[in-house]
Amino acid sequence: MTQEITGAQSLVQSMEAAGVEVVFGIPGGAILPVYDPMMDSTKIRHILVRHEQGAGHAAEGYASATGRVGVCMATSGPGATNLVTPISDAYMDSVPMVAITGQVPSAAIGTDAFQEADIRGITMPITKHNFLITNADEIPMAIARAFHIAGTGRPGPVLVDISKDALQAMTTFNWPEELDLPGYHPKTRPHSKQIREAAKLILSSRQPVLYVGGGVIRANASEALRKLADLTGIPVVTTLMARGAFPDSHPQHLGMPGMHGTVAAVGALQQADLLITLGARFDDRVTGKLATFAPKAAVIHADIDPAEIGKNRHADIPIVGDVAEVIPELITALQAEMDQGVRGDYEGWWVQLNRLRETYPLGYDLPDDGSLSPQYVIERLGKISGPESIYAAGVGQHQMWAAQFIGYEFPGTWLNSGGAGTMGYAVPAAMGAKVGRPDATVWAVDGDGCFQMTNQELATCTINDIPIKVALINNSSLGMVRQWQTLFYNERYSNTDLHSHRFPDFVKLAEAYGAHGLQCDSPDQVDSVIEKAMSLNDAPVVIDFVVHRDAMVWPMVAAGTGNDEIMYARSIAPEWGSEE
């Protein structure tokens, strides 16, 4: 005889069946029925965060570091709406996540009941799919579908909103053996004819570039990408979301393209005659003014999401498929052509690119007054902690410096909010990453503005033995906004001074949360304080790096301009030049 259980118990059993190991969340009235049976689960660890936004970003960090679906949970109304930002963040960056929210009783839906919000309607534009469940019998199927949708195809967030009466009603647990989702059949295998055409175009081009996006990391295709690059000898650029998809140490890697990319990477795209675009979406931060982006290039565009192909840039050879399957098939097709004696000639191309790389390397000036350079801090952090560590960045100048001056050798070691640009991402994302990969050293590289949005999750870390480390780049400003005010608003610094060199005292704040608080304000202390932080693993560590406030991120392509107008330390870079 099948035992009757509550909908809440069915939900917990469904999460267990879906393989959930960790849930980040906060209880409240509408979701409260779930918290009682979840207390008895031996498979699910619940981590009580201090703000629902923290729960969402922690689920993102967990997912990005492990490749598994992250899970967050909140109650109805404000609990659910506090998840909107991380849901949007996950949607923009293709992070697999399931958000489970409680809803007011089904009879009260639409009455403006206490703590009611139409979270399904609110999140419809920023989820892959979402569900409103008012019947307890439907819970297992909804959860099974949610995890399948979140983790397959182009990954993304799925919301499951469950009314309180459905959680309290009696039901039986029936986990579906098969899933039938009409209309949802992601195409993973590419068309062989397009692969053959792509291979021929690659070998006939003279100035090709492998333009690599975050989809390569989501697809676990980094090893295949390395083989493709080694086979062809073609230069590689990795977008902000793809840092770590291809080793920085590889001689074919030109770095990151885009608004704050390397001159060599930006120049390569601008002068290319072919873009081999893998899991990238021609984002405006990479292309600059779209009409002037890569004007001479034909485009091969491979992506699992057909909606991305041709959305911003026409694709001469569109390839719909999982890049984990596209790249190996492309390698096979290229090898077949090479076995027939057809090979690409990129010698002149590399002469041009190496000249750019040597003439315009990434670098920075040290402050004249002997104060601390933020770029130096981040560079030393990467050297001392190493490429096996995980680095989660907030948003702004420190994010760009972390992308530029830390060497990334492995996928899943660079976490950041790329598409949404969400301040406050770093600390909870680092927390989630550390939960998912407890043996890794996990750094939150944060700014004093971002840190003050979500630093309450340090309490969560302390209580739950999650010893993340925070490198706080404290320039007492909203640094990236200040940089724009310097360059474009005649140095009129309207509302960007945070006074963070005085308020709050970040060392005392860290200690108040049970973390170790350290401070560094001179270059000769940098290495020792980082090494000190590395030695402390019994609690979170916060290092307050008091840095020069006028440091800027270079190179820079100003918003609305084309990549040909890239600024290299306040000057316009010369024309790229060409080698025929």
Side-chain angles (χ1 to χ4, degrees):
M1 181 177 178
T2 304
Q3 182 182 7
E4 281 206 331
I5 57 175
T6 66
Q9 289 173 308
S10 178
L11 174 59
V12 173
Q13 290 186 29
S14 297
M15 289 192 290
E16 292 176 340
V20 175
E21 297 176 351
V22 182
V23 174
F24 301 91
I26 300 180
I31 198 68
L32 196 57
V34 181
Y35 273 78
D36 186 66
M38 191 160 54
M39 193 175 184
D40 298 324
S41 175
T42 59
K43 297 180 180 179
I44 298 174
R45 176 188 182 189
H46 181 274
I47 295 177
L48 176 63
V49 297
R50 296 303 180 265
H51 192 285
E52 290 89 355
Q53 183 180 352
H57 291 319
E60 285 188 276
Y62 175 90
S64 296
T66 66
R68 299 192 289 270
V69 177
V71 184
C72 54
M73 185 176 287
T75 194
S76 63
T81 58
N82 280 342
L83 287 177
V84 169
T85 293
I87 288 171
S88 176
D89 197 280
Y91 186 74
M92 290 287 279
D93 289 346
S94 303
V95 179
M97 184 171 84
V98 170
I100 298 171
T101 54
Q103 183 54 274
V104 299
S106 55
I109 292 175
T111 68
D112 293 330
F114 177 68
Q115 290 194 333
E116 181 187 0
D118 179 10
I119 195 62
R120 187 183 187 211
I122 290 168
T123 60
M124 198 163 287
I126 54 170
T127 50
K128 278 190 75 177
H129 193 68
N130 55 29
F131 300 86
L132 171 61
I133 306 301
T134 58
N135 183 339
D137 296 342
E138 297 175 1
I139 290 173
M141 179 63 79
I143 294 298
R145 288 179 169 179
F147 278 85
H148 177 71
I149 293 169
T152 58
R154 179 180 181 171
V158 177
L159 176 91
V160 183
D161 193 34
I162 310 175
S163 65
K164 187 172 184 177
D165 55 317
L167 293 172
Q168 294 172 321
M170 302 306 293
T171 185
T172 55
F173 175 71
N174 294 296
W175 186 250
E177 296 298 324
E178 295 181 1
L179 288 178
D180 179 25
L181 284 79
Y184 183 73
H185 302 287
K187 182 180 179 182
T188 61
R189 187 170 184 182
H191 195 288
S192 57
K193 180 175 182 289
Q194 291 163 312
I195 292 291
R196 291 194 301 270
E197 289 180 355
K200 290 176 181 178
L201 184 56
I202 289 169
L203 294 174
S204 65
S205 65
R206 299 295 298 274
Q207 298 184 171
V209 177
L210 282 161
Y211 165 24
V212 176
V216 169
I217 292 178
R218 299 288 183 246
N220 296 313
S222 297
E223 187 59 38
L225 171 65
R226 173 74 176 264
K227 291 177 182 177
L228 175 62
D230 288 340
L231 175 67
T232 61
I234 292 172
V236 179
V237 301
T238 52
T239 68
L240 179 67
M241 292 305 300
R243 303 292 287 116
F246 191 74
D248 279 356
S249 60
H250 196 289
Q252 287 166 236
H253 193 206
L254 300 179
M256 180 178 73
M259 177 175 276
H260 295 293
T262 66
V263 173
V266 174
L269 292 177
Q270 287 304 100
Q271 289 299 301
D273 64 5
L274 175 64
L275 302 184
I276 307 154
T277 308
L278 303 170
R281 58 188 178 87
F282 292 89
D283 177 71
D284 62 283
R285 293 284 148 139
V286 169
T287 67
K289 187 178 179 181
L290 191 59
T292 62
F293 174 69
K296 299 184 290 187
V299 172
I300 298 168
H301 192 178
D303 202 288
I304 198 166
D305 185 354
E308 288 296 344
I309 297 177
K311 184 179 80 174
N312 293 328
R313 174 70 178 254
H314 170 74
D316 298 275
I317 300 179
I319 303 175
V320 178
D322 188 335
V323 289
E325 297 189 38
V326 171
I327 296 174
E329 293 206 16
L330 194 53
I331 289 171
T332 300
L334 285 164
Q335 191 65 64
E337 292 287 324
M338 291 177 175
D339 290 345
Q340 298 297 316
V342 181
R343 292 188 174 271
D345 178 11
Y346 313 130
E347 185 177 351
W349 182 219
W350 273 111
V351 169
Q352 183 177 342
L353 295 176
N354 284 331
R355 183 181 299 129
L356 281 179
R357 188 153 54 178
E358 293 161 10
T359 306
Y360 301 103
L362 277 176
Y364 53 90
D365 295 324
L366 296 174
D368 294 332
D369 60 3
S371 59
L372 195 52
S373 159
Q375 299 99 318
Y376 177 73
V377 168
I378 291 170
E379 186 175 51
R380 293 306 301 158
L381 176 65
K383 294 288 186 186
I384 294 169
S385 195
E388 292 83 10
S389 298
I390 296 172
Y391 303 90
V395 170
Q397 289 181 314
H398 62 281
Q399 174 192 26
M400 294 299 109
W401 289 322
Q404 291 175 332
F405 294 110
I406 293 174
Y408 299 97
E409 299 293 311
F410 310 107
T413 56
W414 164 246
L415 316 180
N416 84 123
S417 172
T422 303
M423 293 179 69
Y425 170 90
V427 170
M431 175 174 69
K434 184 66 174 175
V435 170
R437 293 179 56 187
D439 295 335
T441 298
V442 181
W443 285 92
V445 182
D446 221 357
D448 49 307
C450 290
F451 182 66
Q452 293 184 81
M453 293 190 174
T454 52
N455 62 32
Q456 66 270 23
E457 300 308 336
L458 286 174
T460 309
C461 291
T462 299
I463 292 166
N464 291 280
D465 298 318
I466 308 169
I468 67 168
K469 305 181 193 301
V470 180
L472 180 57
I473 309 302
N474 179 4
N475 63 1
S476 195
S477 300
L478 297 171
M480 188 62 85
V481 184
R482 180 182 170 88
Q483 175 167 332
W484 282 49
Q485 288 172 334
T486 299
L487 295 173
F488 309 119
Y489 291 89
N490 300 316
E491 301 183 10
R492 287 166 56 84
Y493 299 117
S494 173
N495 290 283
T496 47
D497 188 349
L498 293 173
H499 302 281
S500 304
H501 287 173
R502 294 182 295 156
F503 310 109
D505 183 325
F506 288 115
V507 172
K508 289 181 179 177
L509 181 66
E511 291 172 347
Y513 279 127
H516 298 284
L518 307 172
Q519 190 176 69
C520 175
D521 60 6
S522 68
D524 59 356
Q525 300 171 340
V526 170
D527 284 17
S528 61
V529 78
I530 293 172
E531 289 163 358
K532 174 71 172 176
M534 294 285 291
S535 72
L536 298 170
N537 294 299
D538 60 331
V541 184
V542 177
I543 310 175
D544 179 15
F545 288 105
V546 181
V547 301
H548 196 280
R549 74 185 316 175
D550 289 322
M552 293 205 193
V553 183
W554 301 111
M556 179 178 180
V557 178
T561 67
N563 284 350
D564 290 330
E565 299 174 70
I566 187 170
M567 293 185 286
Y568 183 77
R570 289 187 188 251
S571 63
I572 303 296
E575 293 184 10
W576 311 114
S578 63
E579 301 252 348
E580 298 297 336

